[in-house]
Amino acid sequence: MTHENVPALLRPLDGELSAEARSLAGNLRVLFNGLGTSVRRYAVRRSRDAGAVSRYLNGSRLPPWEFILELARDVATHRGESLADETLEFLRSQYRAAVEARGNPASVLELTKQQLAEADRKAQQSALQIKVLAEALQDRASLLNDIELQLRELQHRDAMNQLHLDRVMQDRDELLQQRARLEGEVAKLRDELGRVGKRAEELESECSSLEQKLAALEGPAEGEVVADAMTVGVFDMVGFTRLVRSMDEPNTIAVIERIQRVYQQVAAITGVRFSHIRNTDVTFVASSASAGAEAALLLTESNAFQSTEETRPQFRVGLTYGRVYTHCGVLLGATVTLAERFCAIAPRSSVLADWFLIEKLRQEGTLTQGANQQSFAAQAMWQRPVRELGVVEPWLLIRSPSSDDGSSTPSST
């Protein structure tokens, strides 16, 4: 593809174009010249703005991939040809180079969408090819089974009827030839099916990767409020301030780093997400009640803060389950408020939970009930009023005495 014979009715190329953008614009002008029509008529034909089409062709604006694909197909139709794969791949590489040279995040996002669409198209083609090959394989295998049956019948006839030996031998030879041919076809089809299946898996993996990249590029909508049912825990280290006030700066930094490692270990073990940290108060969320309960008990059991018995901080956790509203990373709602209140009134080194979390543990089958020993046990505590929420009944959450789930206690190492 060259840049010669560009019609005079097109505006000149923009003088400040990069080499990639200039090459793409030049090739688009060559394609457009093959239509033998004006910019305005083509814009009307394709329901596009004539000014935008003109800017696409002089390089001052990067066209969307849909415009390039439409133009290439229109030129091929005008010439009475089908769009060659080599031409399409050449235009795609030119477009990709122009987008990468521009470096605009919106352009990179659009390019990623196009890559995902192309990968999805190829994956669909591979799926169709797998279906065709599988049907062909089944058909050939069925024919092979039929021929094997005929061969066995002919062999029986050969033994029973010597009068027709010549005819039987001729039929047998023909069937043997057909069997050998079909066996070769079956072997080839099996190899092709394996190759296409592997390619389909690679394309599916590429689609998943591009979907994740696209989601990361698009990001969440600003100001969006998300509501969902989840477990909320509020963890407080009682006496932490007194502990660090008696330390110099290096030891204080070391203690903070040990605390951070504990959070990372608990998150790795249980899958909870630590979403908010303020001084000694830590908020974490989990999708299930069992994961939240395990995280709360691991935090209170941690040996990462061992110092002396006099200075060792005590831990308490408030744990609730219910509807939580998330806005810009901030957790809101009565469920969060109740967890904070439970944390404030919890005895030291203990976990207080609400009735909804205890009921959720029962539903998940991890709460001890009667003789059925599970991971956790709960004991109803005294009813008492809490600010803004009225009278509530907290539950003391502990590990079941007979539980042995193999969970490891986080340490500072």
Side-chain angles (χ1 to χ4, degrees), residues 143-410:
L143 289 175
L144 182 60
N145 290 334
D146 291 341
I147 289 176
E148 290 286 358
L149 179 60
Q150 294 179 46
L151 280 172
R152 286 193 294 269
E153 292 175 354
L154 286 175
Q155 289 170 356
H156 178 70
R157 288 170 57 190
D158 181 48
M160 297 299 294
N161 191 358
Q162 293 295 326
L163 297 177
H164 299 89
L165 180 61
D166 293 339
R167 177 61 180 171
V168 169
M169 293 297 294
Q170 181 181 358
D171 292 342
R172 188 189 69 176
D173 291 339
E174 291 178 356
L175 289 172
L176 287 172
Q177 292 176 1
Q178 293 182 27
R179 182 177 69 175
R181 177 176 58 82
L182 287 171
E183 286 177 342
E185 293 181 7
V186 167
K188 289 181 180 179
L189 286 170
R190 283 200 177 106
D191 292 340
E192 183 69 10
L193 181 60
R195 185 186 65 80
V196 173
K198 183 178 180 181
R199 177 56 180 163
E201 293 177 357
E202 294 173 353
L203 289 171
E204 286 295 338
S205 177
E206 182 181 357
C207 286
S208 299
S209 177
L210 288 170
E211 284 179 355
Q212 294 175 0
K213 182 179 178 182
L214 182 60
L217 289 171
E218 291 177 338
E222 287 190 13
E224 181 181 3
V225 178
V226 179
D228 197 6
M230 64 181 71
T231 299
V232 178
V234 178
F235 169 62
D236 183 25
M237 293 177 285
V238 181
F240 177 78
T241 302
R242 183 178 68 254
L243 173 65
V244 297
R245 286 180 63 185
S246 63
M247 296 180 178
D248 55 16
E249 183 174 342
N251 286 330
T252 300
I253 293 175
V255 169
I256 294 174
E257 290 176 347
R258 283 156 58 188
I259 293 172
Q260 185 64 32
R261 285 194 293 271
V262 169
Y263 296 155
Q264 292 173 353
Q265 290 173 2
V266 171
I269 293 171
T270 64
V272 302
R273 177 168 55 89
F274 289 90
S275 62
H276 178 61
I277 300 176
R278 182 186 67 232
N279 197 11
T280 60
D281 293 340
V282 179
T283 302
F284 59 89
V285 295
S287 58
S288 69
S290 299
E294 181 65 27
L297 291 173
L298 285 176
L299 287 171
T300 60
E301 297 163 356
S302 173
N303 61 2
F305 311 107
Q306 293 286 357
S307 178
T308 64
E309 192 61 30
E310 293 78 12
T311 59
R312 183 180 186 272
Q314 300 295 318
F315 313 111
R316 55 191 183 191
V317 181
L319 201 63
T320 57
Y321 182 86
R323 199 162 189 80
V324 177
Y325 301 90
T326 306
H327 177 67
C328 298
V330 179
L331 303 177
L332 304 168
T335 302
V336 181
T337 302
L338 184 58
E340 294 173 346
R341 301 292 186 268
F342 277 178
C343 180
I345 65 175
R348 293 191 176 186
S349 300
S350 63
V351 180
L352 281 190
D354 69 341
W355 180 87
F356 291 103
L357 184 123
I358 300 302
E359 184 63 23
K360 190 66 176 178
L361 289 176
R362 288 195 182 98
Q363 295 175 7
E364 294 175 3
T366 56
L367 185 70
T368 296
Q369 301 181 65
N372 183 17
Q373 297 295 318
Q374 299 296 335
S375 300
F376 310 109
Q379 177 183 349
M381 302 290 286
W382 67 97
Q383 291 187 355
R384 61 172 295 173
V386 296
R387 183 164 50 91
E388 299 178 356
L389 297 174
V391 177
V392 297
E393 181 184 25
W395 290 69
L396 182 64
L397 182 67
I398 60 174
R399 290 196 185 280
S400 178
S402 61
S403 67
D404 186 16
D405 58 2
S407 299
S408 60
T409 301

Side-chain angles (χ1 to χ4, degrees), residues 1 24 27-28 31-32 35 42 46 48 56-57 62-78 81-95 110 113-114 117-118 121:
M1 185 178 292
L24 175 62
N27 286 314
L28 292 180
L31 281 175
F32 186 81
L35 291 174
Y42 184 72
R46 279 299 179 184
R48 292 184 177 272
Y56 295 158
L57 295 176
L62 185 65
W65 172 248
E66 291 80 2
F67 173 80
I68 298 175
L69 187 60
E70 286 178 357
L71 180 59
R73 287 174 176 170
D74 289 342
V75 171
T77 301
H78 181 74
E81 303 171 350
S82 60
L83 180 58
D85 292 338
E86 294 81 3
T87 302
L88 186 60
E89 188 60 32
F90 174 78
L91 290 173
R92 184 178 288 108
S93 63
Q94 290 264 300
Y95 177 71
E110 182 63 24
K113 288 182 178 180
Q114 296 299 330
E118 180 62 20
R121 183 185 64 81

